[in-house]
Amino acid sequence: PGGRVDCSQVACVALTFDDGPNSSTTLQVVNALNSQNIPATFFMLGSMAQSNPSVVATIAANPRFEIGNHSVNHPNLTTLSSAQVSSQITSATATLTRLSGRRITLFRPPYGSHNATVDAACRTSGQAVILWSVDTLDWQNRNAATTTAKAVAGAKAGSIILMHDIHPSTAAAVPGLINQLRAKGFVLVTVSELLGAPVAGRTYTQRG
Ligand code: ZN
């Protein structure tokens, strides 16, 4: 359904939103995206999804949105045992699958922190390890104009842009940020559209 984008031919960029969903700013982000029919990928925490099942359902109901795994409760996975790492990944997968009806094929490690244990657990769970190439530092600056400027200045063909849908400043940034990226000729896509068919257990920071 809809026009499939060929990211080998056009300048694609993927917006990604981590650490939600919540029932306020996440819905603001969703509304901003929907009003311009823009796809995005949400890397959800199992704990947040569990607390906000209707928001997960709202996102899952839109085929333009992709849902990825961001662990149960955001530990630094490299400090955990292999059993604990597996539990963080499989438990969040179970929650997200149950609440969204989607197959979960992408994992973003909290803090981008991963090692061979994390990668092996992702491979077993059928999930690619998705990092980013543009960090808006939205969690730190908490400023819509700064977040927008970092996203737009950093974006290149194939970029994965990191943001967090739990901050009001980020939600406020989304409409303008979309306009500026499109004005520069970028086509916004999901992470899976950007990467083609990402391989489970392999790490990606951008396309190519
Ligand atoms: Zn996070």
Side-chain angles (χ1 to χ4, degrees):
R4 271 195 79 78
V5 178
D6 182 352
C7 295
S8 70
Q9 301 300 316
V10 299
C12 294
V13 164
L15 301 181
T16 65
F17 295 96
D18 291 12
D19 294 2
N22 66 24
S23 58
S24 54
T25 51
T26 298
L27 289 174
Q28 254 182 280
V29 169
V30 165
N31 290 336
L33 294 165
N34 277 341
S35 70
Q36 299 195 66
N37 206 20
I38 298 297
T41 303
F42 292 85
F43 287 98
M44 297 182 179
L45 291 172
S47 56
M48 294 291 281
Q50 191 99 40
S51 301
N52 298 285
S54 70
V55 183
V56 179
T58 297
I59 291 172
N62 186 336
R64 296 181 72 81
F65 293 150
E66 181 163 44
I67 294 174
N69 179 359
H70 195 40
S71 82
V72 173
N73 56 6
H74 217 275
N76 181 342
L77 295 174
T78 64
T79 67
L80 302 185
S81 71
S82 146
Q84 289 170 318
V85 167
S86 291
S87 166
Q88 281 283 332
I89 293 170
T90 58
S91 169
T93 300
T95 301
L96 294 174
T97 302
R98 176 170 56 82
L99 295 177
S100 72
R102 301 283 192 93
R103 197 162 70 87
I104 306 298
T105 60
L106 307 176
F107 180 75
R108 174 167 281 163
Y111 315 103
S113 181
H114 69 115
N115 57 17
T117 305
V118 173
D119 297 353
C122 285
R123 187 162 56 246
T124 302
S125 294
Q127 294 170 25
V129 179
I130 307 297
L131 303 180
W132 56 87
S133 57
V134 178
D135 192 345
T136 61
L137 296 174
D138 60 338
W139 60 272
Q140 197 176 60
N141 63 57
R142 305 289 180 102
N143 180 293
T146 305
T147 295
T148 302
K150 285 187 175 293
V152 174
K156 298 180 176 61
S159 292
I160 297 175
I161 300 178
L162 171 64
M163 290 178 281
H164 300 81
D165 48 303
I166 56 170
H167 302 304
S169 50
T170 301
V174 170
L177 184 152
I178 292 169
N179 289 335
Q180 291 191 38
L181 289 172
R182 293 175 98 185
K184 291 183 84 170
F186 292 115
V187 176
L188 299 171
V189 295
T190 63
V191 168
S192 289
E193 287 171 327
L194 183 77
L195 297 176
V199 177
R202 192 178 291 176
T203 300
Y204 300 84
T205 57
Q206 60 187 355
R207 180 187 172 89

